[in-house]
Amino acid sequence: MSSLHYDARMRLGPFEYDATFEADGEVVVLFGHSGAGKSLTLQATAGLLTPSEGHIEIAGRTVFDSASGVNLPPQERNTGYVVQELALFPHMTVLENVAFGVRGTRADRERKARALLERLGLEGYEDRAPGSLSGGQRQRVALARALAREVPLLLLDEPFSALDESLRRTLRAELLRLRADLGLTVVFVTHDLREAHLLADRLAVFDRGRILQFDRREEVFRHPVSRRVAELTGVSNVMAASVLARLEGAIEVDVDGLALRVADPVWRPAVGERVELALRAERINLRRGTPADLGEPNLVEAEVVEEHAYGAGHTLRFRPLGAGPHLEVDLPSRPYEVLGVQERRRWTLELPSEDLHVMRPSEGSTSTGG
């Protein structure tokens, strides 16, 4: 059994913390800005920090319960914990670091450590000192040491953040392979949006000591519950709107004088009600021709007013030529080149109804565009 049930509250000076979630044989990513409470969650799970109240279960076993006074020490919680700083023992060899804390005879411990090092591509490094290894190799040693005790739960606190992207890509793939092969539950802390998207089965969005949304990765990215979640998960187009009409399987809303059709939201706002729309920049399509010529809904004629190239993509800022909001569009390099975007400044933007997500308005929100 590999699972975590987490429910904890605490106060650290002016910082109030309250978080509840579950993980079971999956990668749960805790995502948010620095200081949002992500690392506190791992520390409380591992027994390095004691909540003021709550209940924590690991693999069906209660390790903390404020009501009954249960608070197991870290060594009895059966977790593997890897932090960015790694904390490998510099006076020990790689093999000794991995075997440290493993139960059994010396021969058993070394056999298990060697098998894990081989699994992580570190065969031949057993007698090396940690200081002689590269950053990626040290990360592998830390993972091997965390796994050597055959734990059901792996806690990873931004373990790849100091590495270059190629190493991060390799280690992310290895982590996912290990999770599948060993049946682990992994709780992974990051403030890197791309890393969260690549790793998470489910995503917990933290902000100021609270989980704002906890759901499947795609559900959080495509259907944020609030403007704040949308902003934290990289939605650049968040627009204030009002409901014009309720249609069959859809609603019609007004955004800065532009009527848009939106696929039927889960909740049904009334006509005249204020709402907010979220639309990811990569979901907007560029079309040739004018809205009148194309004769389709959810089209706005606009011109490029700002452009940034980065790696394999381009970010374009558009200003409407008539009614409608300012919009941000992300395009991969290949479509950008094929469409000839560099030579053409005026485009018709298609805002697909199924990609427009309706949210209840935030308090005091008046913003109308990305």
Side-chain angles (χ1 to χ4, degrees):
M1 184 179 184
S2 169
S3 63
L4 169 67
H5 171 82
Y6 183 91
D7 175 23
R9 287 159 294 287
M10 65 187 93
R11 187 184 184 104
L12 301 171
F15 185 77
E16 294 185 5
Y17 172 93
D18 187 345
T20 301
F21 69 95
E22 294 186 347
D24 189 0
E26 60 193 327
V27 178
V28 168
V29 169
L30 311 184
F31 172 77
H33 292 316
S34 297
K38 309 182 301 297
S39 295
L40 291 179
T41 304
L42 297 196
Q43 292 166 19
T45 303
L48 303 176
L49 184 67
T50 302
S52 56
E53 60 179 290
H55 181 88
I56 302 172
E57 288 182 17
I58 297 174
R61 179 186 180 211
T62 297
V63 299
F64 173 76
D65 185 74
S66 58
S68 59
V70 174
N71 188 19
L72 299 186
Q75 64 270 22
E76 294 183 20
R77 295 203 178 192
N78 208 21
T79 65
Y81 192 8
V82 180
V83 297
Q84 182 180 344
E85 293 78 14
L86 298 181
L88 297 176
F89 300 120
H91 61 286
M92 293 183 178
T93 65
V94 165
L95 183 66
E96 289 168 340
N97 262 280
V98 176
F100 182 81
V102 179
R103 294 176 181 173
T105 66
R106 180 173 180 175
D108 289 339
R109 292 162 55 207
E110 287 195 1
R111 184 166 50 251
K112 183 179 293 184
R114 289 181 187 276
L116 276 168
L117 289 171
E118 181 179 357
R119 187 184 190 100
L120 286 166
L122 289 168
E123 190 175 12
Y125 290 84
E126 293 87 350
D127 297 326
R128 297 271 294 270
S132 70
L133 304 179
S134 69
Q137 289 165 343
R138 288 196 298 272
Q139 288 288 1
R140 287 182 174 90
V141 174
L143 277 174
R145 189 173 69 177
L147 294 168
R149 295 172 54 230
E150 297 182 351
V151 296
L153 177 64
L154 193 58
L155 307 174
L156 303 178
D157 195 349
E158 303 203 52
F160 309 148
S161 61
L163 305 178
D164 62 52
E165 181 53 37
S166 62
L167 273 176
R168 294 175 75 171
R169 189 183 310 116
T170 299
L171 287 171
R172 283 193 294 256
E174 289 184 354
L175 173 63
L176 293 175
R177 177 174 57 82
L178 284 168
R179 189 216 62 76
D181 290 350
L182 302 177
L184 296 170
T185 292
V186 178
V187 181
F188 190 104
V189 163
T190 186
H191 64 270
D192 184 312
L193 189 62
R194 186 169 182 269
E195 191 162 67
H197 197 280
L198 289 169
L199 284 175
D201 293 309
R202 287 196 289 173
L203 187 66
V205 180
F206 271 79
D207 189 43
R208 300 177 183 177
R210 301 289 192 276
I211 295 179
L212 303 184
Q213 186 171 359
F214 177 58
D215 212 325
R216 291 178 296 108
R217 174 192 59 205
E218 285 304 315
E219 184 66 19
V220 175
F221 279 108
R222 295 289 297 276
H223 302 117
V225 297
S226 66
R227 169 183 282 268
R228 183 59 178 159
V229 173
E231 292 169 344
L232 288 171
T233 56
V235 179
S236 51
N237 301 302
V238 181
M239 303 160 277
S242 60
V243 179
L244 294 174
R246 290 169 58 169
L247 311 172
E248 183 67 31
I251 62 172
E252 189 174 61
V253 301
D254 174 88
V255 180
D256 291 343
L258 176 70
L260 294 174
R261 184 167 297 184
V262 183
D264 206 358
V266 175
W267 60 287
R268 296 282 285 172
V271 173
E273 188 171 346
R274 300 291 297 176
V275 297
E276 289 182 319
L277 297 183
L279 177 61
R280 301 196 71 87
E282 67 272 18
R283 309 301 296 188
I284 298 176
N285 301 318
L286 269 61
R287 303 280 299 273
R288 298 182 185 277
T290 67
D293 293 336
L294 295 169
E296 300 171 14
N298 291 20
L299 301 178
V300 55
E301 195 169 12
E303 64 179 353
V304 179
V305 294
E306 190 177 339
E307 180 176 345
H308 300 281
Y310 58 96
H314 295 259
T315 295
L316 309 170
R317 294 276 300 180
F318 282 89
R319 177 176 59 203
L321 296 178
H326 288 68
L327 293 163
E328 188 170 293
V329 178
D330 282 345
L331 271 183
S333 293
R334 181 60 177 164
Y336 178 90
E337 294 167 2
V338 170
L339 289 169
V341 175
Q342 188 172 12
E343 290 77 34
R344 181 188 176 113
R345 299 289 88 182
R346 292 192 175 191
W347 292 87
T348 292
L349 306 182
E350 178 190 4
L351 317 184
S353 63
E354 63 273 17
D355 291 314
L356 285 163
H357 173 61
V358 180
M359 305 176 294
R360 290 181 171 84
S362 307
E363 290 185 16
S365 175
T366 57
S367 177
T368 58

